[in-house]
Amino acid sequence: MLTRKQHELIRFIQARLEETGVSPSFEEMKEALDLRSKSGVHRLISALEERGFIRRLPNRARALEVLRQPDDVSAKVTAPKVAAPVAPQTRAPTIQPAPANDVIEIPLHGRIAAGVPIEALESTATLPVPAALLGPGEHYALEVSGDSMIEAGILDGDYALIRRTDSARDGEIVVALVRGEEATLKYLYRDAGQVRLDPANAAYDPQFYAPGEVLVQGKLAGLLRRYH
C-alpha cells in the first residue's frame, strides 16, 4: 500500500512525463505536493524506488522513469496543482531528460575519525548534497578527520556520504560504532571470530574487536570535497 503523498508523487511524475517527456525537478515536486523541504521529496522517491514503482536513470539527477502505477491509478493521470498545457497539434519529438542541479539537505552528524576512533557526535546541522550522488535509502553525512583512509581517496576534511544500514559485506567501507561510544570509518572484515577494521594507509595498523563491540551504522555511498 502506498501513502497518499506517494500516490500524489507518482501521479505527478507520470503526468509531467506524458506532457513534456521530462521528469519534474525536486523543487517542482516539492511545490506540487506542498512539502516543506526537498528532503521530503527524496524520501518519497526512495520509497517508490524501493517498491519498484519508479527508477532513476543513471547519471541524470532529474531523470525518473515510472515502471508501474498503483492498482487504483490509471495510466492517464492529472498532475496535482499544475494546470494542463494546451495539447499540441502534432506529436513533438521525445525530449531527453536534462541534468538538473537538484540539491537536498541531509543530516550532518559531526566528525568521524579516519585515524583512530573519536566520539560520535550528533547535531542539528545539515549538508546540501546533489541528488545525483545519492541512491535509494536514508543518508547522512560525516566530516572526515585524519588520514588513515587516504589510499582509498578519503582525505581529512572530506564529507563522507553514508547510506544508513546495520549490515555490510567484508571489504566494504563502513561507519563502525565501537563499544557504543566511538565511531570510525574503515574497511570491515570478519577475521577468525573477530571484527577487523582496516585502514587504507600503511602507517596505521588494523584494529581488532570482539563481534559484540562493533556495530555497523552505515556504508560509504560517496564523498564531497571542498577546495579552499
Side-chain angles (χ1 to χ4, degrees), residues 43-59:
R43 286 193 292 270
L44 290 173
I45 288 177
S46 295
L48 289 171
E49 188 174 24
E50 289 175 353
R51 297 182 185 186
F53 285 92
I54 65 174
R55 74 180 180 100
R56 304 182 216 216
L57 300 180
N59 303 319

Side-chain angles (χ1 to χ4, degrees), residues 18-101:
E18 291 178 356
E19 292 165 5
T20 67
V22 180
S23 53
S25 68
F26 271 61
E27 182 65 29
E28 290 169 336
M29 288 185 276
K30 178 177 75 72
E31 292 179 359
L33 273 66
D34 196 25
L35 298 173
R36 288 184 294 179
S37 70
K38 294 179 184 178
S39 61
V41 175
H42 179 69
R43 286 193 292 270
L44 290 173
I45 288 177
S46 295
L48 289 171
E49 188 174 24
E50 289 175 353
R51 297 182 185 186
F53 285 92
I54 65 174
R55 74 180 180 100
R56 304 182 216 216
L57 300 180
N59 303 319
R60 291 175 176 172
R62 190 170 169 173
L64 298 173
E65 180 182 12
V66 176
L67 300 177
R68 63 188 179 99
Q69 291 281 350
D71 293 339
D72 57 340
V73 178
S74 62
K76 296 292 183 179
V77 293
T78 302
K81 296 188 176 183
V82 178
V86 178
Q89 297 300 313
T90 58
R91 183 178 179 84
T94 301
I95 302 173
Q96 292 296 326
N101 294 322

Side-chain angles (χ1 to χ4, degrees), residues 108 110-111 126-127 129 140-144 154-162 185 220 222-226 228:
L108 176 59
R111 291 172 65 84
T126 60
L127 181 71
V129 178
Y140 61 93
L142 292 164
E143 185 178 358
V144 174
I154 303 171
L155 308 183
D156 182 68
D158 285 350
Y159 290 97
L161 309 180
I162 307 299
L185 189 69
L220 183 67
L223 287 172
L224 281 181
R225 180 169 300 153
R226 291 177 177 173
H228 301 288

